[in-house]
Amino acid sequence: MQHSVFDHLPWTGKDWGELWSHPGGLPHALLIAGPTGLGKRAFAEAIAARLLCERATRAEPACGQCDACRWFSAGNHPDFRWVIPEADADELPVEEAQAEKSTEKPDKKKSKQIRVEQVRALADFVYVGSHRAKGRVIIVQPAEAMNAAAANSLLKVLEEPPSNIYFILVSDAYRRLLPTLRSRCRIILLNRPEHQVAADWLERQQPEANRLLNITGGMPLSALAAAESGWNKIVPALENSLIDVDQDELSLASAWEILLKNADSFTMEDLITLLQKWLSDLIEYELAGRSRFFVDSAQPMKKLLARTSTSVLLHCYNQLLSARPLANHPLNARLFLEDLAARYLLTFAQRPTSRLQTNRPQAAHS
Ligand SMILES: [Zn+2]
C-alpha cells in the first residue's frame, strides 16, 4: 500500500484535505508556495500522482498500485512532465535516479534558469490529447527559475488552458513571480509544521537530524538534508570556532577553510547564512533572553555578549549582508574568509565602536 504524502509528511494533511474539498474543484494551475524544506515538491508530486492515478477518488491519495501509479513512480508516465532548470536535471525525484545520484559536482555550464524553449517544447504535450483518460500534469519547479520569456510563454498557456491539463508550480519565493502569472494560479501556502510534529517526524527518519531542526529554521526536510550532508559535525565545529573570539583572524579563517574544504555540501554561502543566524541569535538573546537557531549555546553567547553590544552586532550583521552577493565567487576565497573573520572578531573587541572604523583592509573585494 502506497504511503500518502500526509503519512509521509504529516503536517501537509490539512492542506491536502482543503485542496480536494475546495468548492471550486481543482483549478488548471496550482502554485505550491512556502519556505525551503517544507516538502513542497513531495506535495506537488502527490497531487500529480493522485491526478493520474486510475483508482483513487476524491481526497484519497494515489493508490500506488495501478499502471498509472507504477509509471509515475518509475518516472515514465506519458501524461506527466517535469519542467526544471537544466542544472537540476540530475535531481529528479525518481527513486532510481536518487539511488544512482552521482557524487560529481554539478556542471557549472548547465542553466539554473527555466528557459523559454523548455516551456515552448510543452506545446505538443499540452495541446495533444492525453494517453490515458486522466488528463495531463506538469510540475514547474522552482517556478521562480523561469526567466521572463519563459514566464510569459507559460502565462499564454494559462490564459486559455486546454481542458484536462494541470500545471503545478512549486516556489520558494512566489512573490518574485509575475503578478499576472500568480493571479492565474490558486496559491497554496503550505502550512509549517509545529516544532513537535517536525521533531517527531525527524525522530522516525533520522534521529540525528533532530539536532539540526532549529538551525534550519524548523524546516524538517532541510534538517534531514543537512544531516545527510554531514552538518551534524559541521555545525558544532563552526560553533566552536565562533565561541573562541580570542584567536586571530588567520586561525579563525583557517578553521572555516577546513570546514569548507572537507564538505562539498557546505558552501561559502552556507557559512555566511550560519554566521548571520549566529549573530541574529546573539542579538535576540541580548534583547529577549532567548535564541532561535543555536538554542544550546546560551552559556557561550552570554559570555560573548559581555564583550559587545547590540549596535555592534547589527553592524557586523549588515556587513555580512553586503558580503553575501560575493560569497559564491570571491576573487580570492582565502582573503574573503580572513576579511569575514576579522570583521567577526572585531565585533567582540573590548571597545569595539572606536576600532570599527579603523584600518581593516577590504582584502577580499578591493
Ligand atoms: Zn493508482
Side-chain angles (χ1 to χ4, degrees):
M1 182 66 196
Q2 169 106 333
H3 287 294
S4 68
V5 70
F6 41 90
D7 289 338
H8 182 51
L9 307 174
W11 57 92
T12 61
K14 187 163 170 276
D15 291 312
W16 179 268
E18 284 172 6
L19 173 69
W20 299 99
S21 61
H22 195 284
L26 209 68
H28 286 291
L30 288 167
L31 170 55
I32 316 291
T36 311
L38 264 186
K40 297 187 298 299
R41 181 165 83 180
F43 192 73
E45 280 183 86
I47 297 170
R50 161 62 188 79
L51 284 167
L52 295 166
C53 174
E54 292 169 359
R55 288 191 199 157
T57 55
R58 291 192 289 277
E60 286 172 13
C63 77
Q65 293 168 327
C66 67
D67 287 345
C69 282
R70 281 202 294 269
W71 292 330
F72 183 79
S73 57
N76 55 16
H77 195 296
D79 292 329
F80 177 70
R81 291 282 186 282
W82 283 101
V83 180
I84 59 172
E86 209 180 21
D88 294 348
D90 298 337
E91 292 177 16
L92 275 185
V94 176
E95 283 174 29
E96 296 91 291
Q98 287 208 331
E100 289 166 15
K101 199 166 160 186
S102 153
T103 50
E104 285 170 38
K105 288 191 173 180
D107 183 348
K108 289 211 172 85
K109 282 175 198 150
K110 287 184 181 170
S111 175
K112 287 189 172 178
Q113 286 191 338
I114 293 174
R115 293 169 294 112
V116 65
E117 294 80 11
Q118 291 175 268
V119 177
R120 286 194 191 128
L122 290 172
D124 282 350
F125 180 73
V126 169
Y127 293 106
V128 173
S130 58
H131 292 77
R132 311 285 289 187
K134 306 293 286 188
R136 285 148 293 152
V137 187
I138 296 163
I139 297 182
V140 182
Q141 195 219 328
E144 66 272 20
M146 282 187 286
N147 63 26
N152 277 309
S153 182
L154 179 62
L155 184 60
K156 278 188 197 135
V157 183
L158 293 185
E159 278 166 351
E160 286 177 62
S163 62
N164 245 10
I165 185 136
Y166 300 95
F167 282 90
I168 307 174
L169 282 60
V170 179
S171 179
D172 292 343
Y174 76 106
R175 291 181 197 284
R176 297 211 322 248
L177 298 176
L178 286 180
T180 41
L181 192 57
R182 284 203 309 256
S183 71
R184 292 273 161 192
C185 301
R186 184 188 300 160
I187 301 175
I188 300 177
L189 269 173
L190 218 54
N191 278 307
R192 286 162 173 264
E194 301 282 331
H195 185 88
Q196 197 53 50
V197 172
D200 291 346
W201 180 81
L202 280 175
E203 199 61 35
R204 293 195 296 277
Q205 310 299 318
Q206 191 181 338
E208 280 283 285
N210 244 326
R211 287 165 53 202
L212 297 166
L213 184 56
N214 288 309
I215 203 90
T216 49
M219 297 295 145
L221 274 80
S222 297
L224 190 60
E228 282 166 358
S229 301
W231 280 40
N232 269 323
K233 290 193 175 133
I234 293 171
V235 173
L238 178 69
E239 236 168 312
N240 285 336
S241 79
L242 295 174
I243 289 167
D244 179 9
V245 294
D246 289 319
Q247 61 188 319
D248 63 30
E249 67 249 40
L250 298 183
S251 65
L252 182 54
S254 296
W256 293 345
E257 197 171 33
I258 290 167
L259 291 178
L260 291 164
K261 279 189 175 153
N262 286 349
D264 284 347
S265 63
F266 187 64
T267 64
M268 192 80 89
E269 207 173 353
D270 293 328
L271 172 67
I272 293 187
T273 301
L274 290 182
L275 284 174
Q276 281 179 315
K277 287 180 172 176
W278 176 259
L279 287 168
S280 97
D281 264 5
L282 280 165
I283 294 167
E284 195 168 338
Y285 195 80
E286 172 82 347
L287 298 177
R290 59 165 188 268
S291 51
R292 275 180 66 197
F293 303 110
F294 294 86
V295 290
D296 299 327
S297 295
Q299 282 313 315
M301 280 192 182
K302 229 174 180 172
K303 283 187 189 158
L304 290 180
L305 285 169
R307 300 174 59 154
T308 186
S309 68
T310 312
S311 63
V312 179
L313 287 165
L314 270 171
H315 180 75
C316 185
Y317 186 92
N318 289 333
Q319 288 182 321
L320 286 174
L321 274 183
S322 10
R324 199 179 176 85
L326 296 164
N328 284 332
H329 40 80
L331 292 178
N332 179 322
R334 173 69 200 191
L335 287 180
F336 185 78
L337 287 175
E338 286 176 15
D339 189 53
L340 278 186
R343 289 165 191 273
Y344 176 74
L345 293 172
L346 261 183
T347 306
F348 304 97
Q350 290 294 333
R351 301 193 60 78
T353 36
S354 61
R355 290 177 56 188
L356 268 179
Q357 317 300 336
T358 60
N359 56 353
R360 276 305 309 161
Q362 303 241 337
H365 36 86
S366 58

